[in-house]
Amino acid sequence: MSLHLPSRRVVRSAAVLTFPQAPLAFLTPIIQRRTAFSLRPWNKGDDVASRAKPTNPLTEEFLRKKPVAPADRPARGGLSSSSIFEDEELAGTKPDDATEQKVQKLPPRNPLMMAAALDPDPQSRLRWERKMVIRDIHKRGRLTKTQQLKREERVLLSKSHDFKTSVKKLVPLAKQIVGKTVEEAIVQMRFSKKKVAKDVKEHLEQARNEAIVRRGMGLGLGANPTFQPRQIQTKDGKRVQVVDPTTLYVDQAWCGKGLYGKTPDHRARGQIYLMKNRTTSLSVILKEEKTRIRLHEEREKREQNRKVWVQLPNRPITAQRQYYSW
């Protein structure tokens, strides 16, 4: 009879008989070691030049034709002599003429090196310039009303950081400062009982300073010393006395929701509610009084040009008949 026994079991039994081992030898880990002579570490005495030479003719030809980088490349990160970002305190005193001649001067900057950042798409820029020239020729140099107002009048939009309050509490203060001059609005916020009025006052002061520095607004009667004080009427029907046409006033003010956090509110019977710590931002648009004067004059002109209402207008009678229609 033949015994049906796998060959791996026969080999294992023979190995146990030949090499006696401990009875629990199969539980011990087996460590395999492999040695690769090709991974021998490199030594300084090895001939690297003979081993690193390429044997591919295409690689040799590429390395032979590869262009060499120019040695006189301009230094990166420097500032030109006319740069406005150069701080004299950090840069130090400028050297004399004799010392400056000794210092090696850098070659002038090549504008083609910055073309990828300054002019990434030349064809689109040329098409846009051509389009603008054609538009100016069609309009014969005339500006639209919006463009003319942007040239003559100055506007500043200032948005604050998020205040720790809700929109419901900030909207009444925003409505309170609309239509008032900046100085009057600051006084109103100074004596207001609201907690967030202090933040609104600080934002109005910051917006006023920004309008003066960045837009040149509120500089006084230097441009028009012959201005006579006059009384105008706002769109709300209020009468305002204008002494200086460059006085800043709050034209618009609105609120915007910001991010909010969550605070646990522990209640009875182990319940926990989540309270929202809301934040709100305030945006204001500052303009000068001459803008309000222009709006007043346009409103009066429309009122004068309006036709008088007539109960029975004088128009021709048509479709007359000899007899009644019924």
Side-chain angles (χ1 to χ4, degrees):
M1 295 178 62
S2 62
L3 179 61
H4 297 282
L5 186 64
S7 59
R8 60 178 181 273
R9 293 188 178 181
V10 175
V11 174
R12 182 178 180 183
S13 302
V16 171
L17 296 175
T18 308
F19 304 99
Q21 296 179 356
L24 298 178
F26 66 92
L27 296 178
T28 58
I30 301 176
I31 301 176
Q32 298 180 355
R33 296 183 180 180
R34 297 178 182 179
T35 304
F37 295 95
S38 61
L39 300 179
R40 181 176 60 85
W42 172 76
N43 297 325
K44 292 185 178 180
D46 296 342
D47 189 5
V48 183
S50 60
R51 295 170 54 186
K53 285 184 178 180
T55 57
N56 191 348
L58 297 178
T59 306
E60 295 178 358
E61 184 179 359
F62 171 75
L63 295 177
R64 186 169 58 255
K65 295 182 178 181
K66 183 178 179 181
V68 181
D72 54 346
R73 296 183 61 184
R76 300 182 59 183
L79 294 175
S80 60
S81 58
S82 61
S83 176
I84 63 174
F85 299 102
E86 183 180 6
D87 194 350
E88 295 183 357
E89 297 180 359
L90 299 179
T93 58
K94 294 185 178 180
D96 300 335
D97 297 339
T99 309
E100 189 176 357
Q101 293 178 359
K102 296 180 181 179
V103 179
Q104 183 180 4
K105 293 185 178 180
L106 296 176
R109 291 192 175 187
N110 187 6
L112 297 179
M113 298 181 63
M114 295 296 295
L118 301 178
D119 193 9
D121 194 353
Q123 298 298 329
S124 299
R125 178 180 56 80
L126 293 176
R127 286 196 301 267
W128 180 83
E129 291 178 354
R130 180 175 180 272
K131 180 181 177 181
M132 294 296 105
V133 172
I134 294 174
R135 179 181 297 180
D136 292 342
I137 293 175
H138 285 174
K139 294 185 177 180
R140 292 179 290 180
R142 295 173 297 183
L143 301 177
T144 61
K145 184 179 179 180
T146 305
Q147 294 174 346
Q148 190 70 22
L149 293 179
K150 285 186 176 181
R151 288 191 175 187
E152 296 177 354
E153 300 176 359
R154 299 171 181 175
V155 184
L156 175 75
L157 170 62
S158 178
K159 182 181 178 181
S160 68
H161 63 278
D162 291 341
F163 302 146
K164 292 184 179 180
T165 185
S166 62
V167 176
K168 183 179 180 181
K169 298 177 182 178
L170 190 58
V171 164
L173 297 181
K175 292 182 179 180
Q176 184 179 355
I177 64 177
V178 170
K180 294 182 174 62
T181 61
V182 175
E183 302 299 334
E184 185 180 355
I186 291 175
V187 172
Q188 292 290 331
M189 295 297 102
R190 177 184 175 186
F191 294 99
S192 178
K193 296 182 180 180
K194 301 294 182 181
K195 181 180 178 180
V196 73
K198 181 180 178 181
D199 297 332
V200 176
K201 172 179 170 292
E202 293 177 355
H203 177 58
L204 287 175
E205 293 175 351
Q206 187 271 339
R208 178 193 58 188
N209 299 337
E210 186 178 358
I212 295 174
V213 175
R214 298 184 60 182
R215 297 288 190 270
M217 303 166 64
L219 299 181
L221 293 174
N224 189 12
T226 60
F227 178 80
Q228 298 295 333
R230 55 179 303 184
Q231 189 177 25
I232 63 174
Q233 186 177 6
T234 62
K235 59 182 179 180
D236 300 334
K238 299 179 181 179
R239 295 288 179 176
V240 179
Q241 184 73 16
V242 179
V243 180
D244 185 2
T246 62
T247 304
L248 300 177
Y249 77 97
V250 183
D251 183 63
Q252 299 179 35
W254 66 89
C255 305
K257 291 183 179 180
L259 301 177
Y260 61 89
K262 293 182 179 180
T263 304
D265 182 16
H266 300 274
R267 310 293 295 183
R269 298 186 179 181
Q271 295 184 358
I272 300 178
Y273 297 165
L274 291 179
M275 296 186 298
K276 292 184 178 180
N277 304 325
R278 305 180 187 274
T279 58
T280 311
S281 63
L282 177 66
S283 302
V284 295
I285 293 181
L286 303 185
K287 295 184 180 181
E288 294 180 333
E289 287 289 357
K290 59 183 180 181
T291 302
R292 203 148 52 171
I293 294 174
R294 176 184 60 82
L295 295 176
H296 169 70
E297 293 176 353
E298 291 180 355
R299 205 177 299 110
E300 284 187 344
K301 189 175 182 179
R302 285 197 303 268
E303 189 70 21
Q304 294 175 1
N305 296 338
R306 191 175 63 176
K307 296 182 179 180
V308 181
W309 179 80
V310 181
Q311 185 176 8
L312 296 176
N314 186 12
R315 60 173 179 266
I317 302 176
T318 59
Q320 291 294 316
R321 299 183 180 180
Q322 184 178 5
Y323 305 101
Y324 292 106
S325 298
W326 60 82

